[in-house]
C-alpha cells in the first residue's frame, strides 16, 4: 500500500532524518541558505564544510541516491548555464587556451553525434547530463583536426578565475538543492505546513491571520491529488469520445483544452462550495483559535542538531567578520 | 421539541424561485425523521437551513429552545452535525485521523482527549486500520464512514444524513444504512435522514414527503407508504413489496386471506 505517499516527494523511511522535528529541518535549511551566501567568495574549504551537512543528511535519510539525482536532473541545465556564464564572464588569473580547429571531418562527426543523441534520446537516462557531456566532447575533439587540414583555426580562452567562480557557484547551488530536496523527501507536506505555521504564529499577535494561510495550504495539499485524478477521468472520458489532445489544427486543440478546462472549473467550484459548507458545519470559524491533533515535539537529537548548526553558523560569522583568521 | 421550523420561506439570492414555501415541522429529541422527495424538491436546502449554512428568507428555526440566528449559530452548531452526499468534498483532513479530528480541533478539545476520541470513533466505524491513510486510497463508503466518525466524535445531539448513500456502490450503501440503523437503535441522537430511496425511510419514526418545496405527505412509514398515488406523483420509486400488496388487494382472494397476506408482507417489508 502506498498510504505513506501523501503528495509531492515525501518518501517514508525509518531514519534519523525523517524523525527530526520539521521545524528543525526548516531551520537548518534556512541557515544553510544564508550560510552559503555568507561564505567568503571562492573559499572552497568553508563551502565544502557547508556541503558536508546536506551530504550527511542524504546518507542518513536512507533514501536512494537516485531520488536526489532526479531532483538535480531538473535543474542541471540551469546549473550548466550559470557555470558557462561564470566561466566566460570572469577574466583574471592563469589563462588556458583551448585550440579550436574547424575541419570538415570534425563538423560532420559533431553533427553525427548530435543526431544520434536525438534519435536515442527517448531511451537514455539523465539526458541533460549526457547532452552536456556530448557538447564538451565535441569541443574537445575540435582540438585535433581528424582528417585533412582545418579551414579555420581559432581558440577559446578560459581564465582561472572563471573556472573557480563557476565551480564555486555550482557548489553553492548544489548545497541548496540537496538540502531542500532532503527536506521535501523526508518530511510530510502536512508536517511542513505545521512547521511553517509555527514559525509564522508570532504574526498572529499583530493581527495577521496566519492560521488561515496554513489552512489554505493544507486544503490545497488535500485536494491536489483529487484534482489530478479528476483531470485524468475527464481526459479518459473525452478520449473515449474521440477527442485527441495531440492532434488537429491549433484552433481544434484550443477547443479541446477548453473542453477540459470548463468541466474542471465547474467541478472545482462545486467542490469549493461543498467543502466550505462541510468545514463550517463542523464548527470551523476562520481565524479562530483551534487545538491540534499532532504535537510537534523537539527531542534531544533535535536540540543537538540545532546546536551543531548554530555553532557552525556563528563560527562562519566570526570568520566573515575577521575575528577568526584561521581559514 | 428539538428541531422546529416555523413558516419557512426560502429563495436563493441568484434564483427567483421560491424553493421552500411556508414550510413548518417539528422533531422531538431522540426521534428519527426521514425526508423523502425527488431531486430539486428542496431537501438539501432544508438541511443547510437547519445547519445554519443558509438563512431563511422568512420564518424561524429553533434548535432546542433557542432560535437559530446569526448570533447563536456558532454556539448552536456544536449540537448539530451533517453528512453530505459527496464523500470527497467533505473530507477535509489529509489523512483519516486528521479528518476525524477536524471538528474536535475547531471545538478546541484538548489533545489527549482528541487522540482518544479519534481512536474510539475510528474503531466504531471500523476504520482503525486506516488512521494514516489518505482519502485517495479509500472507497466512497469508507470516506463516508470517516465522515460519520468525525460527526459522532463531536458528540452532537442531531445528525443529518443528506443523501449520504447516493454516490456509493451497493456495498457502501448497505454499510451506511446499517450504521444509521445502529445509531437509531442506540436512542442517543436525533436523526434526520434525507433520501429518495423509500427503503431508507422504513425504519424512521416519522416520514415527510417533499415536493416542490412543500410537504405533501407526513406520517409514520406505514401511513406514508400506503399513499401510493402521492408517492408516485412525487417521483419516488416504489419498493417491490408495495406492488405485491397492491396486486393482492386487487385480486379475487377472500378478504381474510388478503389481510393475512398483506400483513405478512408489511411485516417483511419493515424487517428489511
Ligand atoms: N446555490 C444555489 N443557487 C441557486 N439555486 C439553487 C442552489 N442550490 C440549489 N438550488 C435550487 O434549489 C432547488 C432545491 O435544491 P436542493 O435543496 O438541493 O434539492 P434536493 O436536495 O431536494 O435535490 C433546486 O431547484 C435547485 O436548482
Ligand atoms: Mg440534495
Amino acid at each position: 500500500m502506498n498510504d505513506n505517499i501523501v503528495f509531492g516527494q515525501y518518501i517514508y523511511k525509518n531514519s534519523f532524518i525523517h524523525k527530526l522535528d520539521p521545524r528543525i529541518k526548516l531551520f537548518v535549511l534556512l541557515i544553510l541558505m544564508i550560510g552559503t551566501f555568507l561564505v567568503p567568495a571562492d573559499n572552497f574549504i568553508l563551502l565544502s564544510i557547508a556541503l558536508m551537512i546536506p551530504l550527511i543528511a542524504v546518507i542518513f535519510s536512507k533514501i536512494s541516491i537516485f531520488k536526489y539525482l532526479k531532483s538535480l536532473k531538473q535543474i542541471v541545465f540551469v546549473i550548466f548555464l550559470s557555470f558557462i556564464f561564470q566561466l566566460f564572464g570572469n577574466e583574471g588569473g592563469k589563462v588556458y587556451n583551448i585550440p579550436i580547429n574547424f575541419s570538415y571531418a570534425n563538423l560532420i562527426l559533431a553533427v553525427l553525434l548530435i543526431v544520434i543523441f536525438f534519435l536515442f534520446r527517448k531511451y537514455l537516462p539523465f539526458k541533460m547530463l549526457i547532452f552536456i557531456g556530448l557538447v564538451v566532447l565535441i569541443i574537445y575533439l575540435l582540438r585535433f583536426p581528424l582528417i585533412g587540414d582545418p579551414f579555420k583555426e581559432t581558440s577559446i580562452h578560459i581564465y582561472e578565475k572563471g573556472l573557480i567562480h563557476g565551480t564555486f557557484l555550482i557548489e553553492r547551488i548544489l548545497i541548496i538543492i540537496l538540502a531542500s530536496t532532503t527536506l521535501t523527501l523526508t518530511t510530510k507536506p502536512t508536517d511542513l505546513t505545521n512547521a511553517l505555521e509555527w514559525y509564522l504564529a508570532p504574526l498572529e499577535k499583530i493581527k495577521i491571520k496566519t492560521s488561515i494561510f496554513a489552512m489554505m495550504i493544507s486544503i490545497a495539499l488535500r485536494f491536489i491529488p483529487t484534482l489530478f485524478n479528476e483531470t485524468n477521468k475527464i481526459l479518459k472520458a473525452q478520449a473515449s469520445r474521440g477527442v485527441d489532445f495531440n492532434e488537429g489544427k491549433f484552433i481544434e486543440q484550443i477547443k479541446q483544452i477548453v473542453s477540459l478546462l470548463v468541466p474542471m472549473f465547474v467541478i472545482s467550484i462545486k467542490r469549493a462550495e461543498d467543502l466550505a459548507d462541510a468545514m463550517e458545519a463542523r464548527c470551523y470559524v476562520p481565524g479562530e483559535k483551534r487545538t491540534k491533533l499532532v504535537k510537534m515535539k523537539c527531542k534531544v537529537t533535535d536540540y543537538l542538531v540545532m546546536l551543531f548548526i548554530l555553532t557552525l553558523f556563528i563560527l562562519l560569522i566570526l570568520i566573515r567578520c575577521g575575528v577568526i583568521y584561521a581559514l | 421539541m428539538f428541531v422546529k421550523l416555523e413558516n419557512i420561506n426560502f429563495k436563493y439570492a441568484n434564483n427567483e424561485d421560491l424553493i421552500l414555501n411556508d414550510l413548518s415541522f417539528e422533531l422531538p429529541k431522540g426521534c428519527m425523521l426521514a425526508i423523502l422527495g425527488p431531486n430539486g424538491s428542496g431537501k438539501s436546502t432544508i438541511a443547510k437551513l437547519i445547519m445554519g449554512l443558509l438563512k431563511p428568507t422568512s420564518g424561524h428555526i429553533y434548535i432546542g429552545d433557542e432560535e437559530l440566528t446569526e448570533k447563536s449559530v456558532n454556539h448552536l452548531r456544536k449540537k448539530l452535525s451533517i453528512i453530505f452526499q459527496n464523500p470527497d468534498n467533505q473530507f477535509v483532513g489529509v489523512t483519516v485521523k486528521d479528518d476525524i479530528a477536524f471538528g474536535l480541533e475547531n471545538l478546541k478539545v484538548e489533545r489527549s482527549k482528541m487522540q482518544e476520541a479519534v481512536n474510539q470513533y475510528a474503531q466504531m466505524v471500523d476504520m482503525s486500520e486506516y488512521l494514516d491513510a489518505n482519502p485517495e486510497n479509500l472507497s466512497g463508503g469508507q470516506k463516508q464512514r470517516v465522515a460519520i466518525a468525525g460527526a459522532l466524535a463531536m458528540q452532537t445531539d442531531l445528525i443529518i444524513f443528506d443523501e449520504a448513500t447516493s454516490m456509493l456502490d451497493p456495498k457502501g450503501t448497505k454499510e451506511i444504512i446499517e450504521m444509521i440503523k445502529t445509531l437509531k437503535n442506540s436512542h442517543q441522537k436525533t436523526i434526520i435522514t434525507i433520501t429518495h430511496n423509500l427503503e431508507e425511510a422504513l425504519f424512521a419514526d416519522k416520514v415527510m414527503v417533499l415536493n416542490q418545496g412543500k410537504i405533501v405527505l407526513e406520517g409514520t412509514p406505514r401511513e406514508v407508504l400506503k399513499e401510493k398515488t402521492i408517492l408516485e406523483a412525487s417521483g419516488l420509486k416504489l419498493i417491490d413489496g408495495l406492488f405485491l400488496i397492491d396486486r393482492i388487494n386487487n385480486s379475487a382472494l377472500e378478504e381474510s386471506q388478503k389481510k393475512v397476506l398483506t400483513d405478512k408482507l408489511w411485516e417483511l417489508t419493515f424487517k428489511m
Side-chain angles (χ1 to χ4, degrees), chain B residues 16-225:
Chain B
E16 272 304 294
D17 306 337
L18 196 58
I19 305 292
L20 297 178
N21 188 351
D22 196 31
L23 187 102
S24 304
F25 70 87
E26 37 183 48
L27 182 64
K29 206 174 170 91
C31 243
M32 174 170 170
L33 167 72
I35 302 180
L36 291 167
N39 270 332
S41 55
K43 305 181 300 289
S44 295
T45 307
I46 295 179
K48 287 181 191 169
L49 281 166
I50 296 173
M51 291 304 297
L53 298 168
L54 294 172
K55 222 178 115 221
T57 313
S58 70
H60 304 275
I61 298 172
Y62 299 91
I63 307 289
D65 299 321
E66 244 179 293
E67 181 167 4
L68 189 68
T69 59
E70 248 157 77
K71 261 195 195 145
S72 65
V73 66
N74 279 345
H75 131 84
L76 283 180
R77 239 181 228 146
K78 293 175 189 163
K79 301 182 180 179
L80 315 172
S81 51
I82 182 165
I83 312 297
F84 289 103
Q85 182 172 16
N86 189 320
D88 249 321
N89 295 3
Q90 59 183 316
F91 203 109
V92 185
V94 178
T95 61
V96 167
K97 65 173 187 239
D98 287 334
D99 192 66
I100 298 177
F102 180 77
L104 299 173
E105 291 178 329
N106 294 330
L107 294 177
K108 304 179 189 70
V109 173
E110 213 179 284
R111 180 172 299 118
S112 58
K113 280 200 186 133
M114 190 148 45
Q115 271 157 352
E116 228 170 79
V118 167
N119 292 333
Q120 180 191 342
Y121 289 98
Q123 185 157 28
M124 195 177 275
V125 299
D126 204 13
M127 289 294 288
S128 294
E129 293 162 50
Y130 298 92
L131 279 179
D132 286 308
N134 53 309
E136 295 311 302
N137 299 325
L138 300 178
S139 69
Q142 287 175 320
K143 278 182 247 198
Q144 289 301 64
R145 266 150 55 193
V146 172
I148 293 175
L152 294 180
M154 290 173 81
Q155 301 191 314
T156 55
D157 298 317
L158 172 76
I159 180 163
I160 303 175
F161 294 88
D162 185 359
E163 303 201 38
T165 60
S166 68
M167 291 178 74
L168 305 182
D169 55 12
K171 183 168 164 279
T173 304
K174 207 165 168 244
E175 285 169 5
I176 301 300
I177 293 181
E178 285 309 314
M179 221 156 258
I180 300 177
K181 269 188 194 165
T182 319
L183 213 56
K184 191 216 168 214
N185 293 334
S186 74
H187 297 288
Q188 281 167 359
K189 307 249 173 203
T190 310
I191 302 172
I192 298 180
T193 164
I194 294 175
T195 168
H196 50 230
N197 178 359
L198 277 180
E199 282 176 37
E200 278 181 49
L202 289 176
F203 54 93
D205 299 309
K206 193 177 152 190
V207 180
M208 196 171 98
V209 180
L210 204 70
N211 201 358
Q212 299 186 329
K214 279 190 166 161
I215 299 173
V216 289
L217 202 58
E218 218 178 340
T220 63
R222 232 170 226 258
E223 287 163 358
V224 167
L225 285 182

Side-chain angles (χ1 to χ4, degrees), chain A residues 1-7 188-190 194 215 217-219 221-230 233 267-268 270-285 288-296, chain B residues 48 51-53 74 77-78 80-82 84 86-95 97-111 114-115 118 129-130 132-137 143 146-147 150-151 154:
Chain A
M1 252 203 313
N2 56 351
D3 278 352
N4 293 313
I5 299 165
V6 182
F7 162 68
K188 278 189 213 154
T190 35
N194 286 338
M215 182 54 77
I217 298 174
S218 97
I219 293 289
L221 291 174
R222 153 71 184 90
F223 278 97
I224 285 170
T226 313
L227 224 63
F228 262 120
N229 286 350
E230 210 119 75
K233 255 190 240 158
I267 291 171
S268 301
K270 169 84 177 116
R271 197 189 284 294
E273 280 172 1
D274 282 1
L275 189 70
D277 278 343
M279 289 170 72
E280 209 181 318
R282 285 159 81 180
C283 299
Y284 179 66
V285 182
E288 196 128 297
K289 204 173 155 41
R290 315 172 67 225
T291 47
K292 287 266 161 119
L293 178 65
V294 279
K295 183 179 168 66
M296 289 179 288
Chain B
K48 287 181 191 169
M51 291 304 297
L53 298 168
N74 279 345
R77 239 181 228 146
K78 293 175 189 163
L80 315 172
S81 51
I82 182 165
F84 289 103
N86 189 320
D88 249 321
N89 295 3
Q90 59 183 316
F91 203 109
V92 185
V94 178
T95 61
K97 65 173 187 239
D98 287 334
D99 192 66
I100 298 177
F102 180 77
L104 299 173
E105 291 178 329
N106 294 330
L107 294 177
K108 304 179 189 70
V109 173
E110 213 179 284
R111 180 172 299 118
M114 190 148 45
Q115 271 157 352
V118 167
E129 293 162 50
Y130 298 92
D132 286 308
N134 53 309
E136 295 311 302
N137 299 325
K143 278 182 247 198
V146 172
M154 290 173 81

Side-chain angles (χ1 to χ4, degrees), chain A residues 101-106 144-151:
Chain A
N101 304 313
F102 289 104
S103 77
Y104 291 109
N106 279 74
F144 321 103
L146 292 176
I147 312 166
D149 287 332
F151 57 87

Side-chain angles (χ1 to χ4, degrees), chain A residues 92-103:
Chain A
K94 254 194 263 168
V95 187
Y96 303 94
N97 269 330
I98 299 177
I100 302 278
N101 304 313
F102 289 104
S103 77

